[in-house]
Amino acid sequence: GSRLSMCQMCAYLVLILITLFQSLSAFDCVRDVPSTDFLFQANSFIEYYDIDSSTTLEVQIFNADKLGASNTPLLFIHGYTDSRWSFLSTVQCLNIGDRAMIVPSLRGFGDSQIYSADDSTFSIQQFASDLVVLLDALNVETAVWIGHSMGSWITHYAAGADSIKAHVESIVLLSTGAALDIAVCDYVDAYINESCPDREFVDAFQEKDLIAANISAAYANQVVRESYKVDLLPLQQAWYELCSFDLAPSYVSTIAVNTTIVWGSLDGVTPIDQEFVDTFTSTTPDVHVVADVGHNV
C-alpha cells in the first residue's frame, strides 16, 4: 500500500477524535520539533504541580482559558521512557482552539520530580491517581484521556477504577493491548538491570518505536534526549509494573465510556490484537489501524 504522509496521519487522528468531540478547528500539521512560538505562545504555559509531599509533575497546558469551558479538555498520557514532548507535535498538529489540552510528564519522567520512592511509586494505579490530583488542581471534573503505550494502560485502569472513572469522559488508546508480550519484557529486562540507565537501550528502544514517514531527525532526537533524563529506578519499576499488569477480560468488560483504539500496522511492541478488542462488552471500540507506522502511532 502507499505510505501515508505525516499530514495525512495527523488528519487521520483528527477524524478519529471527531467521533468523540463536536468539532475540531483547522490545523497545520508539521511532524517536527514544535516551534518555540508554539511551545510558549500566550495560550500555553508550563507549570509544576505538587501531587504529594514527594512528587511534582511538569505539565504543559494549551488553551488554559478554556479549562472552565463546556468543551471537555483533553488529557494526553505518554508512554514508557517518554515525557510531555512525545505529544507536543500531535497537539500542534491538532491545533484545537475550543478546548484545553493538558500534557503532563508522569512522575519520574521528563522534568517531573520524585523525592522518595517505594515499591508502589511507579505503579499504574499511582500514575492514574496522580492525574486525578492534577485534574482536581486544575478544577477539571472530567477529561478525555488519550494514552499511548504505558499511557494507554493508565487510561484503561482509570476508565474502569471505581475511584477514578468519574473523571473519565471517554478514552483513546494508542498502541495498546491486554498485556505486554513476554518477549518484549525480556528484551527490555536485559538492558535495565544495569547500575545506570543504558543509552544504547534508549536509542534502540526509540528507534524501534519511531517508524513512520517524514518524522524529522530533530524531533526524534528530542524524544530520545527526553528519555535520557529518566533515572534507573523509574525505568525499572515502571517496566516491571507493565510486565506484570494484565487487563483481565472481566475488568475490560466494565469499561462503558466511548473508546477509540489506534494501532500502527508495523507495531512490534503492542501488535494489533482483535481478541483484546472483543473483551470490550460494555462498549464497542472504534478501531483504526494506520498503515506503515510503528509503535509511535
Side-chain angles (χ1 to χ4, degrees):
S2 60
R3 182 177 292 273
L4 289 176
S5 71
M6 198 52 52
C7 279
Q8 286 175 317
M9 286 172 57
C10 286
Y12 192 59
L13 180 56
V14 170
L15 290 175
I16 293 168
L17 291 174
I18 205 168
T19 65
L20 302 176
F21 316 133
Q22 294 175 347
S23 63
L24 303 178
S25 54
F27 58 93
D28 177 24
C29 175
V30 179
R31 188 67 163 175
D32 206 335
V33 177
S35 68
T36 301
D37 288 344
F38 169 73
L39 292 180
F40 300 102
Q41 59 186 289
N43 69 342
S44 165
F45 63 88
I46 296 174
E47 189 62 271
Y48 295 85
Y49 290 88
D50 291 332
I51 300 302
D52 55 37
S53 60
S54 66
T55 309
T56 301
L57 294 192
E58 171 198 33
V59 185
Q60 186 156 7
I61 302 175
F62 295 84
N63 305 328
D65 58 320
K66 303 297 183 183
L67 280 172
S70 58
N71 289 338
T72 306
L74 312 183
L75 174 64
F76 293 87
I77 309 159
H78 66 76
Y80 181 69
T81 80
D82 294 334
S83 71
R84 64 181 176 84
W85 266 93
S86 299
F87 274 116
L88 292 187
S89 67
T90 301
V91 171
Q92 183 179 30
C93 195
L94 293 174
N95 192 23
I96 302 171
D98 65 346
R99 68 184 69 239
M101 293 178 283
I102 305 164
V103 192
S105 295
L106 298 170
R107 58 166 58 204
F109 295 83
D111 288 326
S112 290
Q113 300 295 320
I114 188 80
Y115 306 106
S116 64
D118 56 32
D119 290 342
S120 64
T121 299
F122 302 102
S123 67
I124 295 296
Q125 294 86 344
Q126 184 61 64
F127 286 134
S129 295
D130 286 352
L131 295 173
V132 171
V133 174
L134 173 62
L135 293 178
D136 286 344
L138 296 172
N139 294 316
V140 171
E141 292 185 6
T142 185
V144 176
W145 294 48
I146 303 170
H148 171 255
S149 192
M150 182 175 76
S152 78
W153 276 286
I154 297 167
T155 299
H156 280 300
Y157 172 76
D162 289 338
S163 61
I164 298 178
K165 62 185 180 183
H167 298 276
V168 182
E169 180 177 285
S170 54
I171 59 177
V172 180
L173 309 173
L174 309 171
S175 303
T176 192
L180 282 173
D181 186 271
I182 187 63
V184 175
C185 291
D186 289 344
Y187 164 75
V188 175
D189 283 348
Y191 284 98
I192 61 174
N193 287 313
E194 305 292 335
S195 58
C196 60
D198 191 310
R199 289 199 172 195
E200 179 186 353
F201 157 66
V202 171
D203 292 342
F205 189 78
Q206 292 292 7
E207 182 179 359
K208 191 184 200 62
D209 284 356
L210 294 168
I211 303 173
N214 302 326
I215 288 182
S216 75
Y219 181 71
N221 287 338
Q222 180 60 48
V223 172
V224 170
R225 283 197 297 271
E226 287 292 297
S227 297
Y228 288 157
K229 295 179 180 179
V230 186
D231 289 332
L232 183 63
L233 184 62
L235 275 181
Q236 289 179 330
Q237 283 197 10
W239 187 252
Y240 299 153
E241 170 73 13
L242 282 173
C243 287
S244 63
F245 195 74
D246 192 344
L247 285 161
S250 59
Y251 188 86
V252 177
S253 66
T254 67
I255 296 174
V257 297
N258 287 342
T259 300
T260 297
I261 300 175
V262 186
W263 279 295
S265 65
L266 303 180
D267 191 340
V269 179
T270 52
I272 300 165
D273 186 352
Q274 183 59 46
E275 185 176 342
F276 169 68
V277 174
D278 292 340
T279 62
F280 287 82
T281 57
S282 297
T283 187
T284 302
D286 186 16
V287 179
H288 301 263
V289 177
V290 183
D292 301 324
V293 176
H295 190 64
N296 66 300
V297 65

